[in-house]
Amino acid sequence: MTAAIYLDHNATTPIRPAALDAMAEAARAVGNPSSVHAAGRAARGRLEAARGQVAALVDRPAGQLVFTSGGTEADALAIVGSGRVRLLVSAVEHDAVLAVAGDAARIAVDAEGRVDLADLERRLASGDGPALVSVMWVNNETGVVQPVAEVVRLAHAAGALVHVDAVQGAGRLDPAALAGADLIALSAPTIGGPPGVGALLVGPGATLRALALGGGQERGRRSGTENLPGIAGFGAAAAAAADGPRETERLRALRDRLEAALPATAPEARVLGAGADRVATTCLGLPGVPAETQVMTLDLAGVAVSAGSACSSGKVKRSHVLAAMLGDDPLAGQAIRISLGWTTTEAEIDGFLAAWRAMRDRLSPAARAA
């Protein structure tokens, strides 16, 4: 059964009609983009048109863009392919970054989830050899926007490269914030494109060692026949999301409507990261009620939300992001994520609030004690 109210857009947002149309057109056509005959040249034309559309979303030249199977592969290609042995990653990065980074040094964050720039500067100064700094643009769990421009300034002054996981920021925020970033990872599903497609932008200051070898596609940076229907859908979604910053303001207003309604009926509830700049995402803690219980209860009420990252094989576990922000506070395991997207309406916000209040009144220790 599909949820009547879908508020899990940071996991994947509904596919845009333009993306579906582009995928269908590309799937009906015959031709490999690497073939030199007419059908192959037509396929190549579709591929390059989509490359330009996706690159434009972050205001970069099309020639910098490498298509991948998703944001996870793009992050891995950036980190491993950069050739940098010394890694500095923020403590609130996506698992796609942390799993590849291994025991890399973690850059601290404050209680709002913002990167501690002083800690980054100390770490850059204290190590040996050129580093790769990995800091995401927008946190997928809290919606907190990171100070990418300041990270780039500090890193470049120390001879380091900067990798930005821009999966949650592209199509939502002004791409000028990414100016100077050396490696930028993107994903189609978070902008209304199909799953299984992503991209990595490789700036002029970075070199990239291919991880997938073979036919030399993507200018030798990622071999394998390109997923042309998926890429065409990605390009169309990117074009449709070009007005994202304006849409972000509409969605932030809906987020504010949701959060403003909480104190009157649930004074114990807490919005995590509320003091930082955020996209339309609410990380909402309900003391005494495990996140998994909240997600399941709301699901039964027809409301789709999540806890932590949705990219962990369906698991609900204590969030490393919230642990980095809150330390041992139990609230790190008692918060859900409500993420808004291009289809979200006022009626959905009101429906969520009704379902959440009913859950809170039944499950919250504070409600039962009142």
Side-chain angles (χ1 to χ4, degrees):
M1 179 181 71
T2 302
I5 299 174
Y6 184 79
L7 297 175
D8 196 20
H9 290 262
N10 286 8
T12 191
T13 200
I15 194 164
R16 296 176 186 267
L20 284 174
D21 291 344
M23 292 174 68
E25 180 181 353
R28 284 192 294 265
V30 178
N32 186 310
S34 296
S35 297
V36 297
H37 48 59
R41 295 195 302 274
R44 171 60 60 180
R46 291 189 183 90
L47 179 74
E48 296 308 324
R51 194 187 307 277
Q53 289 172 314
V54 177
L57 193 63
V58 287
D59 198 22
R60 290 296 179 101
Q64 292 185 3
L65 190 140
V66 182
F67 283 115
T68 68
S69 65
T72 295
E73 184 191 345
D75 283 332
L77 181 58
I79 293 169
V80 180
S82 73
R84 297 287 172 105
V85 175
R86 185 180 170 219
L87 304 176
L88 303 176
V89 303
S90 89
V92 295
E93 291 303 297
H94 192 282
D95 283 336
V97 169
L98 297 181
V100 177
D103 60 356
R106 301 293 194 264
I107 308 162
V109 297
D110 64 17
E112 302 292 347
R114 294 171 296 214
V115 167
D116 184 335
L117 295 173
D119 186 51
L120 170 61
E121 192 167 21
R122 285 192 298 269
R123 292 181 182 277
L124 285 167
S126 63
D128 294 325
L132 174 69
V133 176
S134 186
V135 172
M136 66 200 323
W137 193 5
V138 172
N139 187 266
N140 56 301
E141 297 187 30
T142 63
V144 169
V145 180
Q146 298 293 355
V148 171
E150 287 300 297
V151 169
V152 169
R153 181 182 64 80
L154 292 173
H156 284 181
L161 294 176
V162 177
H163 159 239
V164 178
D165 180 330
V167 166
Q168 299 294 339
R172 288 176 165 175
L173 301 173
D174 186 345
L178 298 175
D182 301 289
L183 298 154
I184 303 170
L186 304 175
S187 179
T190 52
I191 64 167
V197 186
L200 179 67
L201 280 297
V202 184
T207 57
L208 191 70
R209 176 172 58 87
L211 305 185
L213 305 176
Q217 289 86 353
E218 296 299 291
R219 300 185 182 179
R221 298 174 294 188
R222 199 266 189 182
S223 289
T225 300
E226 294 93 346
N227 171 11
L228 187 55
I231 287 170
F234 192 4
D243 196 30
R246 182 179 302 175
E247 175 73 355
T248 292
E249 293 311 306
R250 179 186 78 86
L251 295 175
R252 278 177 167 157
L254 290 178
R255 178 204 67 193
D256 293 345
R257 172 191 178 104
L258 185 159
E259 293 177 5
L262 297 172
T265 53
E268 78 278 16
R270 181 176 164 193
V271 176
L272 305 176
D277 183 23
R278 289 176 293 142
V279 297
T281 297
T282 298
C283 187
L284 181 57
L286 185 58
V289 185
E292 183 174 12
T293 300
Q294 296 183 55
V295 171
M296 294 173 65
T297 301
L298 290 169
D299 184 44
L300 291 172
V303 179
V305 298
S306 63
S309 172
C311 302
S312 300
S313 301
K315 302 172 185 174
V316 177
K317 57 184 181 180
R318 189 172 188 268
S319 164
H320 72 275
V321 171
L322 301 186
M325 294 166 59
L326 304 177
D328 295 331
D329 190 328
L331 202 61
Q334 299 166 349
I336 59 173
R337 178 184 69 184
I338 305 109
S339 50
L340 285 52
W342 69 280
T343 61
T344 304
T345 63
E346 287 189 8
E348 286 186 305
I349 298 301
D350 294 342
F352 164 81
L353 285 169
W356 186 85
R357 284 168 179 150
M359 176 189 70
R360 178 262 177 187
D361 290 346
R362 183 161 59 89
L363 301 178
S364 170
R368 293 199 300 268

